Amino acid sequence: MAGEKVHLTGAKETLLMTLYGKALESRLPHSLLADHFADEAVRKIDYDFSRLKVDENLGIGLAIRAKTLDVRVEDFLARNPGAIVLHLGCGLDTRVFRVDPPPGVDWFDVDYSQVIELRRRLYPSRDHYHLIASSVTEAGWLAAVPRNRPAMVVAEGLTPYLPADEGLRLVSRLVSHLAGGELMFDAYSRFGLTLLRLNPTIKVTGAEVHWAIDDPHELELAVPKLRFVEDISAYKPEHAARMGWSAKLFVRLWKHIPALRKVGRLLRYRF
């Protein structure tokens, strides 16, 4: 049977990088993610993944980031059993299946219509799971989201591709619409964006990166309802043990050199 053909370019095409990296990591012994949905999706898609130059080191790094976000989502839902989850720029990520939220939770995956249609062909439906076909920067899609329940808003691999002004407007709309909750996403410093532009995958896809966040408190000033909670290293040495020697060295440097820690990290806010 012919595979699912995809025709994605620019930032949209980078979702195939994260999907493939997580699938690679999930094939390893003692996988952190054990994401069989991602692995099956890769096998169903008719696409030359080799052009993205994703290796096991990158796959492990992507899995560490994803697992860190998964754990924070699970923790929030344990504290707020009637919550909603907004997964912005979901791409082909299978977080909803990895987290497997309880019945009282409504989960919303938001992305471009082209991406949502692909998700519908690749993944099963489930109760209380909603797909919203829209750019996250469009204002209208939030009308479909309840505003009277605690919300966990998570974005992975999204913010650097947004122009800073659009990103701030998005955050402002979210905290104005929602009753309260948490917001968590990965962010990059200006130096981090420079490194991203040198990344072979970014070069191959032609994706452009824009939004740098050097100081997490910048968002508190721009969106007063936000309260910064913590920044979390995108890499954990204990999880990086399976990486090659050069990647292990980078993770050690990442841990001890403050400027490198700001290159890419996970930021968590309350509102």
Side-chain angles (χ1 to χ4, degrees), residues 97-108:
F97 303 109
R98 296 195 304 268
V99 171
D100 190 23
V105 172
D106 277 282
W107 188 294
F108 297 81

Side-chain angles (χ1 to χ4, degrees), residues 137 142 163-175 211 223:
T137 59
L142 263 172
D165 58 342
E166 291 191 10
L168 290 172
R169 282 197 294 269
L170 168 63
V171 174
S172 182
R173 280 196 297 270
L174 288 167
V175 301
W211 190 10
V223 185

Side-chain angles (χ1 to χ4, degrees), residues 17 20-22 24-25 28 53-65 199 234-235 239-251:
M17 171 192 71
Y20 187 58
K22 290 167 186 175
L24 283 183
E25 193 277 338
L28 296 175
K53 306 183 188 306
V54 177
D55 60 12
E56 284 187 1
N57 284 334
L58 178 55
I60 291 169
L62 290 168
I64 293 169
R65 182 180 74 176
N199 182 292
Y235 296 107
H239 291 152
R242 293 173 297 158
M243 291 180 170
W245 69 268
S246 59
K248 287 180 184 177
L249 176 61
F250 180 75
V251 170

Side-chain angles (χ1 to χ4, degrees), residues 1-8 16 37 40-42 44-46 91-92 97 112-125 129 131:
M1 185 172 70
E4 292 287 347
K5 292 189 178 295
V6 296
H7 303 284
L8 303 172
L16 297 172
F37 282 101
E40 289 175 5
V42 164
K44 291 176 182 176
I45 292 173
D46 182 4
L92 294 179
F97 303 109
Y112 293 105
S113 58
Q114 186 179 8
V115 177
I116 293 299
E117 284 306 310
L118 185 56
R119 287 189 70 92
R120 293 186 193 279
R121 297 197 298 272
L122 291 172
Y123 300 136
S125 60
Y129 176 47
L131 294 167

Side-chain angles (χ1 to χ4, degrees), residues 150-164:
M152 180 70 190
V153 183
V154 60
E156 180 183 1
L158 170 68
T159 59
Y161 301 106
L162 300 177

Side-chain angles (χ1 to χ4, degrees), residues 73-106:
V73 173
E74 290 165 350
D75 175 68
F76 183 87
L77 296 182
R79 291 183 280 115
N80 300 275
I84 62 174
V85 177
L86 297 187
H87 189 187
L88 306 182
C90 60
L92 294 179
D93 182 81
T94 64
R95 177 160 290 113
V96 66
F97 303 109
R98 296 195 304 268
V99 171
D100 190 23
V105 172
D106 277 282

